[in-house]
Amino acid sequence: MSFETVIVERQAAVGIIRLNRPKALNALSLQLVAELNQALDAFETDPEIGAVVLTGSDKAFAAGADIREMQPLSYVDLLADDFVAAWERLARMTKPVVAAVAGFALGGGCELALMCDIVIAADTAKFGQPEITLGLMPGAGGTQRLARAVGKAKTMDMVLTGRMIDAAEAERIGIVSRVVPSAELMETALAVATRIAALSQPSVRLAKEAVNRAFEGGLADGIRTERRLFQSLFATEDAREGMAAFTEKRVPHFRNR
Ligand code: HXC
């Protein structure tokens, strides 16, 4: 696959998508989001791929929606052509997505990171929702996902002031899973994705769905869904194999069945 604004690669069972608009700090133009979605579609349907790593450059994961493209749009334009809807493709991935974030993850860039399942940050990473400084507000799930990830106090601070937080604070409050030195970012993200891709894919898929459910509805609904998904895994051969391997003190051989 060849695109202008994203670079797509694969390493064994891991798909890698690199946002690539260096002159605009990976600002998320319509073209970039469309190409990102095509790359996600391709990995989602590729049976050889078990997990995806989404990354940017050393300087920027993504500095937000492309402000130059948004500037001429009116309210009625946005109603007529809901360009934000296209951004949700990432959140609908059933395969796990690991974000490898270095540099700026701002506005829509921070929102993309929040849609990923695991966020690994370089110590250079900076997260923020600066839309308020443009007279806007987050529009790709930021108010909702950030609030659920870090609670009201930090969300209001970030969304209402637009201030950036560094990687250490992002880890402390729960946006980021791990912080690593910049030079180790891709290696760590690929190791995490490779590990997940080697596990039983039905269990990974349903576990992801169950965790996401915790952020989508109320608690009772989430617990009911979790129970149903947990029970359904007992219909897989991999669960039998995994539990047998444990009791027999050996490594499991998963066959995605
Ligand atoms: C378009 C952008 C951009 C953006 C940076 N650039 N961010 N272009 N949209 N979001 C461009 C700059 O115009 C500049 O182009 C080049 O990238 C380098 O940026 P500089 O500002 O010169 O770099 P620096 O001084 O290092 O500052 C980095 C920065 C700053 C702090 C990240 O660029 C910045 O504040 N960017 C905007 C961040 C932001 O407000 N994001 C939220 C967008 S709204 P030229 O041609 O001048 O060299 C949003 C809403 C999402 O995301 C809602 C869902 C759809």
Side-chain angles (χ1 to χ4, degrees):
M1 272 180 295
S2 166
F3 298 112
E4 269 177 43
T5 60
V6 301
I7 297 170
V8 176
E9 296 163 76
R10 49 202 302 153
Q11 198 175 99
V14 176
I16 304 168
I17 303 174
R18 186 179 291 279
L19 307 179
N20 185 43
R21 286 186 73 207
K23 288 191 182 131
L25 298 179
N26 292 337
L28 301 158
S29 60
L30 294 173
Q31 182 188 7
L32 186 149
V33 173
E35 292 186 347
L36 168 64
N37 289 351
Q38 284 176 51
L40 290 169
D41 283 342
F43 285 142
E44 179 80 313
T45 53
D46 184 337
E48 302 297 317
I49 293 293
V52 174
V53 171
L54 178 63
T55 193
S57 68
D58 286 349
K59 222 178 154 209
F61 179 71
D66 190 310
I67 300 168
R68 287 193 176 83
E69 264 184 12
M70 284 195 305
Q71 194 178 4
L73 299 179
S74 70
Y75 171 62
V76 174
D77 290 334
L78 261 70
L79 284 184
D81 177 16
D82 181 5
F83 80 93
V84 189
W87 291 52
E88 280 287 319
R89 174 68 188 92
L90 178 58
R92 290 199 320 275
M93 284 292 282
T94 66
K95 292 180 181 174
V97 183
V98 177
V101 179
F104 298 111
L106 301 178
C110 188
E111 292 174 302
L112 281 193
L114 288 165
M115 288 178 201
C116 295
D117 303 304
I118 295 179
V119 181
I120 313 282
D123 48 15
T124 60
K126 288 200 183 326
F127 296 83
Q129 298 289 164
E131 291 92 338
I132 205 89
T133 66
L134 300 167
L136 297 173
M137 62 174 278
T143 60
Q144 305 304 298
R145 291 197 180 90
L146 198 57
R148 283 157 200 243
V150 308
K152 177 175 170 179
K154 289 287 182 181
T155 302
M156 286 293 190
D157 184 359
M158 289 176 69
V159 170
L160 298 185
T161 70
R163 88 173 164 96
M164 282 187 224
I165 62 172
D166 63 17
E169 183 172 0
E171 183 183 31
R172 198 165 65 240
I173 68 178
I175 294 177
V176 158
S177 316
R178 307 182 200 178
V179 180
V180 296
S182 228
E184 292 167 24
L185 178 65
M186 270 316 270
E187 174 194 329
T188 309
L190 283 169
V192 170
T194 302
R195 179 186 167 112
I196 294 169
L199 297 168
S200 165
Q201 297 306 295
S203 67
V204 166
R205 180 185 171 136
L206 296 192
K208 168 171 171 162
E209 186 181 333
V211 174
N212 275 334
R213 206 45 197 243
F215 299 98
E216 283 161 10
L219 181 63
D221 181 39
I223 288 180
R224 251 195 317 275
T225 303
E226 181 191 68
R227 186 173 313 158
R228 184 175 54 73
L229 295 175
F230 175 76
Q231 287 164 340
S232 72
L233 280 172
F234 280 69
T236 67
E237 290 174 19
D238 282 348
R240 301 276 138 235
E241 165 64 8
M243 290 184 279
F246 176 81
T247 54
E248 291 159 20
K249 298 192 187 299
R250 60 175 175 81
V251 176
H253 297 292
F254 293 129
R255 296 187 302 143
N256 302 327
R257 289 164 197 272

